Amino acid sequence: MDLSFLAIQALNGLSSASSLFITACGLTLVFGVTRIVNFAHGSLYMIGAYTAATLVPRLLELHFGPVTFWAGILASAIIVGLIGVLIEVLLLRRIYGAPELFQLLATFGVVLVVQDLAILVFGPEDILGPRAPGLRAPVEILGRRFPSYELVLIAAGPIVLGLVWLLLRKTRFGVLVRAATQDREMIAALGVNQALLFTGTLFLGAFLAGLGGALQIPRVSAHAGMDLSIIAEAFVVTVVGGMGSVPGAFLAALIIGQLQAFGILIFPKSTLVVVFLLMAVVLAIRPYGFFGRPEAVGGTHAVGIASSKRSPYAGLIALAVIGTGLSLPLIGDAYMLKVATEILIFALFAFSLQLLIGVSGVVSFGHAAFFGLGAYGAALSLKWFALPMEAALPAGLLLAAAGALLIGGFVVRLSGIYLAMMTLAAAQIIYAVAFQWVDVTGGDNGIVGVWPSAWASGQVPFYLFTLALVTIAVLLLMRIINAPFGYALRAARDSEARAEAIGLTIRRHRWLAFTISGAAAGLAGGLYAFSRGSVDPSLLGIPTSVDALTMLLIGGIQTVTGPLVGAGFLHVLRDQIMPLTSLWRLLLGLIIIAIVLVFPRGLVGTVRGWGEERS
Amino acid sequence: MTLLSVQGLSKSFGGVAAARDVSFLLERGELLAIIGPNGAGKSTVFNMVGGQLRPDHGAVLLDGQNITAASPQKRFRLGVGRTFQVAQTFLSMSVVENVQMALVSCNGESSALWAPARTRHREEALALLEQVGMADVADRPCSALAYGDVKRVELAIALAGQPKLLLMDEPTAGMAARERADLMDLTARIADAKSIGVLFTEHDMDVVFGHAERVIVLVRGRIIAAGSPEEIRQNEEVRRAYLGDEHALEKPKGLSPA
Amino acid sequence: MTKASMTRWLALGLALAFAAPSAQAQQAPIKLGELNSYARWAAFTVPYRSGWQMALDEINAKGGVLGRKLEIVSRDDGATTGDATRVADELVNREGVSLLFGSFQSNVGVAMADYANQKKILYIAAEPLTDAITMAQGNRYTFRIRPSNFMQVGMLVDQAKASGAKRWAIVAPNYEYGQSAAEVFKRLIKERVPGAEIVAEQYPALGKIEAGATVSALEQAKPDGIFNVLFGPDLTQFVREGNTRGLFEDATVLSLLTGEPEWLLPLKDEVPEGWTVTGYPWDEIKEPKHKAFVDAYRAKFNETPRLGSLLGYMVVYMIRDAIELAGSVETEAMIKALEDTKFDTVIGPVTMRGIDNQATMGAWVGKLVLKGANGGMTDWSYMDGTPFMPTEAEVKAVRKD
Ligand SMILES: Nc1ncnc2c1ncn2[C@@H]1O[C@H](COP(=O)(O)OP(=O)(O)OP(=O)(O)O)[C@@H](O)[C@H]1O
Ligand SMILES: [Mg+2]
């Protein structure tokens, strides 16, 4: 490994750091002012890339010379900035005061909507943009060729940093942005036109995202899916740098760029893991990143389960539901049973999350980790140790519980948005391991041939088996929620100060809750693996976590039965609608947004609300 | 032995010295008031005694045991109960469940996973609510109470831990004058009966001079005077500290508005 | 809405409009279940859908099979194993299809083969190329039409002999298809080119290549031969970065599938000239039957065909022939009809070999050149699959059935 190679590798690292910083800078600015972690930031980046890859070739055809290329990049970024304004006015403006879970989900709804819209507008195929005129030829560095465009990118990062610095220091807008980042109340007190400030910030943030995306077009083709990969990295950058801190983002991007460039030499197959591991380590040592400040946790306790009078019919309803479940094999066909099986599995998955979110107020954004660990645990023990299903399921459950125990140890030290980001990072690490540890997990291929034992292989027996396990697990969890342990979790959620003052060891309780919840999700994951006959890394992905959150949200976070209803509703909807349209994600995104805006209490909560109003 | 001994506590936030070299003693069964203008550092002292804040310097001794670095949980077990300036209760629970929760914790049952919480220690909790006059709303959601009532519930919660030291940061805020006196009478009775030492702060001077046995005056983080209510009322420095609000230290002329 | 899904809606509408009157006159149609990665791999699958749609229309215009019309119920397989088996379940259990065909990614193909075996339903893998589908994971319910990795790599390696390259580097997507192709290449190059060694291997994640880093890592090993398995967006970025850094200048490059229009067209004028590739020079194939197919396709869709179009078209015709031969849509009868049967296709006769359920369809092998604004193939020839198939002994050694 000679010097010139190391130098080139360092330059590669710098250029990806630059690109990353430009995008992450927008994210962190938006967070600083609005306190919203904007999942859709990655979508804006994607739109920037698509727009530029479509627009710039048209402009180049006009033959105005190299300047048209850069004009096209800038125009694309401005277009994206305007889209950002649109998102602010239509959506964000309405959820500034909402609990962070709702904010995260609503912006994720935008991600889903944009994914389908982008395909509608730009077509399904990947678009590689033109190369920058005048920068096609490489430059020679220490006897090696290096793309000259990358040098431009390397310069772009510091330039953007400088311009943003000037903007923040020298303009009234910048002063306001900084003030808002420091102290939100102050801005309100100053009588500043907040709406304008927030809209302006969103324009700036979206502009930077668009710029980051547009600058990529000569080297990366614009494609669906770039939104989630960039947002995951941008999250890492902002969290490591400290949410809201621009210099922090720059430093973090530099470190991550080099880590990736050289990490590929040392751990060629664990590039994804390295990045998220960095984030986990930084958060474990400095819970608020390099330059971040503790966030006043606000308003989260507004959502969650509250004590309510036990309905006299509760037992009857439960019996009726179980009875219907038991008699389903008599009336349903094989496919209906398959759907019912999956609904049960997702109900358990969502319900396990309810223990964290609704009961403990711990907003986990990476619950897929435990679902996936359960599935992989079962599949791996089947593949490597030839365990039968009866042993593989507990093995999956144990793996998930162990994972939750480990991750929980880090997570319960954090709160609010940092906690959500940490769970997300943890899930991404496990995703990356499953994805890149090909020898053991099969990587992208996953593991196939995960079929139930002979006695349970028919649709009816497997359904009944699932019904039994899920019913037991849910009843146990309900018991826990109503037991002192569940109350202690709620106590800590309602008021940490009070909970501590009456001697509750909040972290220990949350840690145990995390583990129990992980175990339950793991059981669901194991069942899912056997239901589908295979596992693959997508079980661990962000969309799976969001699925669980969406089910919770649809059902209603304040209710115990919400997640069960939510799982049923979402799954049936998906099953009915997905075959009919290629716009399923658009629809799902709109549903999520609508629920956040219109029915924040979810189906069960809303119905119960009507009942209470009448009485 | 002295119940609470506070020795040279200091705390600063950035540039603001919220407490400077604060020392005092508190005996069992005694009612001690800390008074001072807004931002004087009263809550800061309470939080250092209650364990919510770690002092920069100084020590807190409970029954001779150094608890300066102990967690709030540990202090709870050692017999420190408290109410907060901004009432802290479990708003998602009913009133009686709030108290039950404290009893559950007191009995070391907070990790129990099986028998429902709502049936545990209910009678005991109702009895405590009876004491603070909240028994009739025991099954109402805590979030539906008036602020003054929430304060009462907080007192019941604090008492559930059978404390020997009770910290009350503005316990009567949000109550009508009549109720304030009643609540402090009640507190005094309980303190006397169970020989609990009570440290409290109040902006209502009627309450302070009517109930405290001793008064400490805190200004800009420093104790400027300590003594019996009568001594404090006469103290020139205290009068100056409350300048512009000369009547604050006057003897009450009937009921002052809430 | 994309054009394709528009046609789907239209088709649905038409089907509904005409369903009622024709139902009385005729028996219920034969339902075929089709699943593919229409969202994730649109570049290949959308032309593929046009291909099967065209065959379907032609067949039904001539009265269908066994006096019944054919109906294809098509779904997106989500490009993941779990989604694919779930969709398959829906097709089998809810739609009641007689057989399944399709899928793009090799890992999904393997999962589908496993599913077919578990549920005892016929599955015809159209695109997935991994050897596993007909070898290690092969089973009597799973058939494949396209030439496998082993066959295509074999064709390429034969071309490499002449080049004299000995220091080989491999770059392949890190999933079933890439892994399988790389493994076959390593084996064949050592067997067939004496003195050949592998000096570098890069396995970027599918769809997530870091092209700059990958190219410099390959460059570092100074290979004189490169075997590429990348396709789609990974390929485009790899080629651009490799061109810039001069990676291909003094190296012999063998590349799977790069001559197929679906992967070649996005490269535009940046085609790496001189690469030896498998592909589909559709405009230069002069056989009348094939030309008729191309003309009909262009007339119908106003679009030039991709390899996917040809494949979709062929698959449906082969299924029709098999059903006709079987005389029913019973799984066992259809398996019997497929095995060792010679099918007459637009590219000539193709036999479905019984021992491994692999068809003898071949591939076009040639070199890449720039023709005007786009790339194309030159010096190409069609190589029938038969001589490149694994021997009976090799098959018997790995297949479990
Ligand atoms: N967490 C904190 N961070 C920074 N400054 C603080 C913090 N807590 C208190 N302070 C500052 O310390 C000083 C003392 O505050 P403290 O709340 O103890 O006053 P107080 O006497 O209780 O006032 P009040 O009568 O208004 O309740 C004030 O200047 C306050 O701004
Ligand atoms: Mg105070």
Side-chain angles (χ1 to χ4, degrees):
Chain A
M1 213 171 294
D2 53 322
L3 190 67
S4 64
F5 179 64
L6 293 180
I8 293 286
Q9 215 55 18
L11 287 177
N12 280 336
L14 281 179
S15 93
S16 45
S18 251
S19 315
L20 200 50
F21 164 71
I22 294 172
T23 308
C25 174
L27 184 65
T28 214
L29 279 171
V30 169
F31 175 81
V33 173
T34 65
R35 292 297 191 278
I36 286 184
V37 173
N38 186 9
F39 244 111
H41 201 71
S43 311
L44 295 167
Y45 169 92
M46 178 170 79
I47 298 175
Y50 266 118
T51 309
T54 316
L55 182 69
V56 172
R58 309 259 153 86
L59 292 180
L60 285 176
E61 278 167 16
L62 303 176
H63 300 291
F64 286 129
V67 71
T68 45
F69 178 87
W70 301 106
I73 299 282
L74 206 63
S76 308
I78 291 174
I79 291 173
V80 177
L82 295 175
I83 295 175
V85 169
L86 203 66
I87 293 177
E88 200 272 341
V89 172
L90 292 180
L91 175 64
L92 300 188
R93 182 167 288 191
R94 292 157 218 280
I95 55 171
Y96 287 134
E100 61 219 3
L101 168 67
F102 283 30
Q103 297 175 340
L104 277 168
L105 268 177
T107 56
F108 194 83
V110 176
V111 171
L112 292 170
V113 169
V114 170
Q115 277 179 341
D116 274 349
L117 284 183
I119 290 175
L120 278 186
V121 173
F122 298 103
E125 284 171 41
D126 302 10
I127 312 173
L128 187 62
R131 308 172 86 171
L135 295 171
R136 281 187 89 130
V139 289
E140 191 106 351
I141 294 173
L142 297 173
R144 282 172 189 269
R145 293 190 202 167
F146 188 75
S148 38
Y149 188 75
E150 305 276 307
L151 288 180
V152 175
L153 278 188
I154 291 176
I159 291 174
V160 168
L161 177 66
L163 290 177
V164 168
W165 188 85
L166 280 179
L167 184 74
L168 292 185
R169 300 276 148 179
K170 304 285 174 200
T171 65
R172 179 171 153 73
F173 173 72
V175 172
L176 292 178
V177 166
R178 279 190 298 140
T181 307
Q182 297 285 326
D183 185 350
R184 244 180 134 183
E185 273 71 49
M186 189 164 110
I187 275 296
L190 285 178
V192 173
N193 184 343
Q194 278 204 58
L196 210 58
L197 172 67
F198 283 26
T199 313
T201 309
L202 248 292
F203 176 80
L204 179 62
F207 173 85
L208 287 170
L211 185 65
L215 283 172
Q216 297 303 310
I217 57 161
R219 56 201 295 267
V220 180
S221 46
H223 59 99
M226 67 198 303
D227 50 354
L228 283 189
S229 51
I230 190 74
I231 194 66
E233 287 189 29
F235 276 162
V236 174
V237 170
T238 44
V239 167
V240 167
M243 314 270 315
S245 162
V246 174
F250 189 72
L251 183 62
L254 276 183
I255 292 176
I256 286 165
Q258 295 304 325
L259 204 63
Q260 275 175 329
F262 289 99
I264 214 170
L265 303 177
I266 306 163
F267 316 101
K269 290 187 175 164
S270 17
T271 42
L272 295 171
V273 183
V274 167
V275 171
F276 286 102
L277 222 48
L278 170 81
M279 168 164 160
V281 169
V282 169
L283 280 193
I285 299 169
R286 292 184 65 91
Y288 304 105
F290 291 152
F291 302 127
R293 291 171 314 109
E295 271 312 311
V297 214
T300 326
H301 62 264
V303 291
I305 291 176
S307 303
S308 61
K309 284 219 188 64
R310 235 178 106 82
S311 154
Y313 309 114
L316 275 181
I317 293 173
L319 277 181
V321 169
I322 295 174
T324 314
L326 279 173
S327 55
L328 202 60
L330 301 176
I331 46 176
D333 60 6
Y335 185 67
M336 193 169 168
L337 286 185
K338 174 89 178 174
V339 173
T341 307
E342 293 195 342
I343 289 177
L344 286 170
I345 292 171
F346 279 115
L348 176 57
F349 181 32
F351 199 73
S352 70
L353 184 58
Q354 179 74 321
L355 183 65
L356 287 185
I357 292 184
V359 179
S360 318
V362 171
V363 177
S364 166
F365 232 78
H367 210 50
F370 311 114
F371 187 72
L373 276 179
Y376 267 93
L380 288 171
S381 50
L382 189 99
K383 183 182 170 205
W384 292 106
F385 307 110
L387 294 186
M389 179 182 77
E390 296 80 10
L393 278 178
L397 185 147
L398 281 180
L399 184 68
L405 189 71
L406 181 71
I407 294 168
F410 289 96
V411 165
V412 296
R413 298 150 53 93
L414 305 170
S415 62
I417 207 71
Y418 285 90
L419 188 150
M421 290 296 112
M422 183 69 153
T423 51
L424 186 76
Q428 288 290 304
I429 289 176
I430 296 176
Y431 169 83
V433 169
F435 188 72
Q436 294 195 309
W437 199 8
V438 177
D439 296 336
V440 171
T441 61
D444 223 352
N445 303 337
I447 298 167
V448 299
V450 191
W451 299 107
S453 300
W455 64 266
S457 68
Q459 202 64 67
V460 175
F462 190 75
Y463 165 75
L464 291 175
F465 177 65
T466 307
L467 179 65
L469 281 186
V470 169
T471 308
I472 292 170
V474 167
L475 289 179
L476 280 179
L477 286 174
M478 280 188 176
R479 191 94 206 179
I480 289 175
I481 291 174
N482 284 319
F485 179 67
Y487 268 70
L489 292 172
R490 272 171 52 198
R493 176 198 75 198
D494 286 356
S495 164
E496 291 205 13
R498 169 52 66 203
E500 285 179 344
I502 62 166
L504 297 176
T505 46
I506 296 179
R507 280 189 190 172
R508 275 231 301 278
H509 281 90
R510 285 196 178 146
W511 198 359
L512 180 60
F514 209 81
T515 311
I516 293 175
S517 163
L523 177 63
L527 286 168
Y528 191 70
F530 281 106
S531 158
R532 290 211 165 172
S534 67
V535 298
D536 66 81
S538 69
L539 295 183
L540 291 153
I542 297 175
T544 307
S545 294
V546 171
D547 265 358
L549 288 166
T550 309
M551 289 169 190
L552 259 191
L553 196 70
I554 290 179
I557 286 174
Q558 284 100 328
T559 61
V560 177
T561 46
L564 308 180
V565 174
F569 181 82
L570 184 67
H571 204 72
V572 167
L573 197 69
R574 189 196 317 254
D575 190 62
Q576 295 298 314
I577 307 255
M578 205 136 97
L580 294 183
T581 169
S582 51
L583 300 179
W584 163 248
R585 286 177 298 193
L586 182 100
L587 196 70
L588 180 63
L590 291 177
I591 289 175
I592 293 176
I593 294 171
I595 289 180
V596 169
L597 292 182
V598 189
F599 302 106
R601 300 174 58 180
L603 287 177
V604 178
T606 306
V607 170
R608 183 173 295 172
W610 291 339
E612 274 162 18
E613 258 165 47
R614 244 183 303 145
S615 64
Chain B
M1 190 187 287
T2 308
L3 175 64
L4 174 70
S5 165
V6 168
Q7 303 171 350
L9 284 188
S10 300
K11 178 81 192 171
S12 50
F13 299 103
V16 184
R20 307 182 220 202
D21 196 20
V22 174
S23 306
F24 60 86
L25 299 176
L26 173 64
E27 302 296 339
R28 288 171 191 278
E30 184 185 20
L31 263 69
L32 172 63
I34 299 185
I35 63 169
N38 286 89
K42 304 181 296 287
S43 294
T44 304
V45 170
F46 270 82
N47 288 339
M48 287 189 289
V49 177
Q52 284 73 28
L53 276 178
R54 187 70 54 86
D56 298 337
H57 301 288
V60 181
L61 274 63
L62 187 72
D63 270 339
Q65 187 182 350
N66 190 330
I67 57 165
T68 318
S71 65
Q73 289 91 336
K74 176 91 189 295
R75 291 179 209 223
F76 168 77
R77 292 193 197 302
L78 292 173
V80 180
R82 72 166 294 175
T83 68
F84 291 86
Q85 177 168 355
V86 177
Q88 296 287 325
T89 55
F90 309 131
L91 291 178
S92 76
M93 299 181 194
S94 70
V95 170
V96 66
E97 282 170 344
N98 266 273
V99 185
Q100 280 173 285
M101 204 54 236
L103 292 166
V104 158
S105 170
C106 200
N107 288 289
E109 298 168 359
S110 69
S111 292
L113 298 172
W114 198 245
R118 70 177 78 210
T119 55
R120 294 184 188 229
H121 312 292
R122 189 177 156 89
E123 294 311 314
E124 217 177 317
L126 286 174
L128 280 162
L129 286 174
E130 185 69 59
Q131 269 193 352
V132 297
M134 296 292 293
D136 47 337
V137 292
D139 286 314
R140 291 261 294 277
C142 202
S143 53
L145 296 186
Y147 191 64
D149 288 346
V150 177
K151 287 264 168 189
R152 272 185 236 267
V153 174
E154 244 201 327
L155 178 58
I157 296 174
L159 289 174
Q162 292 175 335
K164 44 192 179 188
L165 171 65
L166 190 57
L167 309 171
M168 303 173 83
D169 196 349
E170 303 195 16
T172 65
M175 293 185 188
R178 184 74 256 144
E179 297 177 300
R180 296 178 186 215
D182 287 350
L183 185 84
M184 287 318 291
D185 284 343
L186 170 73
T187 309
R189 270 203 311 279
I190 296 172
D192 191 47
K194 302 191 174 167
S195 86
I196 300 174
V198 178
L199 180 67
F200 74 100
T201 170
E202 263 304 330
H203 283 290
D204 182 340
M205 290 308 149
D206 298 349
V207 169
V208 173
F209 294 124
H211 293 89
E213 289 153 31
R214 275 191 309 130
V215 178
I216 291 173
V217 185
L218 206 61
V219 174
R220 266 176 260 118
R222 202 184 288 285
I223 295 182
I224 57 164
S228 68
E230 208 44 45
E231 287 164 2
I232 294 299
R233 204 175 284 141
Q234 307 304 333
N235 188 309
E236 267 313 301
E237 205 176 347
V238 176
R239 286 185 163 270
R240 245 178 288 123
Y242 277 89
L243 206 71
D245 190 9
E246 280 140 21
H247 303 293
L249 301 177
E250 297 289 302
K251 269 225 160 108
K253 312 179 190 97
L255 291 178
S256 57
Chain C
M1 195 177 290
T2 56
K3 228 184 284 166
S5 66
M6 187 81 96
T7 43
R8 262 178 81 196
W9 282 103
L10 277 178
L12 189 76
L14 285 178
L16 287 176
F18 290 104
S22 60
Q24 308 154 342
Q26 243 179 343
Q27 278 181 290
I30 294 172
K31 277 189 174 182
L32 310 179
E34 198 280 339
L35 67 171
N36 225 317
S37 311
Y38 291 106
R40 172 91 196 266
W41 293 109
F44 182 92
T45 51
V46 170
Y48 159 88
R49 177 161 56 200
S50 303
W52 65 246
Q53 188 67 51
M54 187 163 113
L56 182 72
D57 294 349
E58 289 176 11
I59 291 168
N60 281 340
K62 289 191 210 130
V65 219
L66 306 178
R68 296 162 70 183
K69 297 252 173 197
L70 279 186
E71 182 189 333
I72 295 181
V73 188
S74 174
R75 296 278 185 269
D76 199 304
D77 70 9
T80 63
T81 54
D83 283 354
T85 53
R86 178 170 188 288
V87 165
D89 250 337
E90 192 231 345
L91 288 171
V92 173
N93 290 326
R94 189 201 271 172
E95 298 291 343
V97 300
S98 303
L99 58 80
L100 295 167
F101 71 102
S103 272
F104 178 85
Q105 284 180 209
S106 282
N107 54 335
V108 177
V110 169
M112 283 302 300
D114 182 54
Y115 174 87
N117 195 33
Q118 176 78 12
K119 309 275 166 165
K120 308 206 178 343
I121 179 124
L122 182 61
Y123 166 58
I124 299 173
E127 168 65 11
L129 296 183
T130 178
D131 294 327
I133 288 179
T134 48
M135 300 287 277
Q137 305 273 333
N139 55 66
R140 58 191 300 269
Y141 297 96
T142 305
F143 293 78
R144 173 175 35 215
I145 311 275
R146 283 201 73 181
S148 67
N149 272 338
F150 182 81
M151 296 157 72
Q152 298 205 40
V153 174
M155 297 171 192
L156 286 178
V157 167
D158 279 359
Q159 304 290 309
K161 277 187 209 159
S163 74
K166 292 274 153 50
R167 296 171 51 77
W168 285 90
I170 298 175
V171 54
N174 199 5
Y175 81 111
E176 182 64 33
Y177 164 58
Q179 291 154 2
S180 147
E183 196 184 317
V184 172
F185 178 78
K186 280 196 244 178
R187 200 175 105 211
L188 294 185
I189 197 86
K190 282 177 194 154
E191 274 173 25
R192 300 186 189 173
V193 181
E197 55 172 337
I198 306 295
V199 295
E201 295 171 66
Q202 281 290 316
Y203 298 100
L206 176 62
K208 299 198 171 79
I209 192 174
E210 286 274 341
T214 307
V215 167
S216 23
L218 291 178
E219 217 181 2
Q220 178 73 359
K222 305 202 169 45
D224 56 9
I226 297 171
F227 175 62
N228 168 58
V229 196
L230 299 174
F231 62 95
D234 290 338
L235 173 75
T236 324
Q237 292 166 48
F238 176 70
V239 167
R240 180 170 282 185
E241 202 73 29
N243 278 340
T244 308
R245 303 192 191 213
L247 177 66
F248 314 126
E249 271 165 23
D250 304 309
T252 305
V253 183
L254 304 180
S255 189
L256 273 179
L257 313 187
T258 312
E260 293 172 2
E262 33 273 81
W263 316 127
L264 197 52
L265 291 177
L267 292 171
K268 300 203 180 101
D269 60 346
E270 293 175 52
V271 282
E273 288 195 290
W275 283 22
T276 305
V277 299
T278 59
Y280 180 42
W282 59 273
D283 50 338
E284 297 182 11
I285 301 171
K286 295 293 182 243
E287 277 76 10
K289 260 162 103 180
H290 182 269
K291 225 178 132 356
F293 156 73
V294 171
D295 293 343
Y297 186 90
R298 298 187 69 166
K300 187 170 172 103
F301 299 108
N302 194 22
E303 174 79 88
T304 60
R306 313 285 200 261
L307 183 75
S309 323
L310 174 69
L311 189 68
Y313 188 76
M314 282 174 64
V315 173
V316 172
Y317 266 104
M318 287 173 79
I319 290 173
R320 183 207 56 179
D321 293 353
I323 294 176
E324 209 149 53
L325 196 61
S328 84
V329 286
E330 293 304 312
T331 302
E332 288 303 324
M334 288 191 293
I335 289 177
K336 218 149 161 210
L338 277 166
E339 280 180 345
D340 289 317
T341 299
K342 188 168 173 182
F343 295 88
D344 194 25
T345 75
V346 279
I347 61 161
V350 169
T351 305
M352 182 60 76
R353 191 163 82 164
I355 53 164
D356 57 355
N357 293 354
Q358 167 70 52
T360 62
M361 180 185 178
W364 291 266
V365 179
K367 284 196 184 329
L368 292 183
V369 280
L370 185 62
K371 295 175 175 173
N374 284 311
M377 284 171 76
T378 184
D379 288 341
W380 58 265
S381 60
Y382 176 73
M383 302 199 169
D384 186 63
T386 317
F388 295 95
M389 293 170 92
T391 64
E392 201 171 329
E394 283 175 308
V395 171
K396 290 234 163 90
V398 291
R399 268 180 81 103
K400 292 179 196 115
D401 57 354

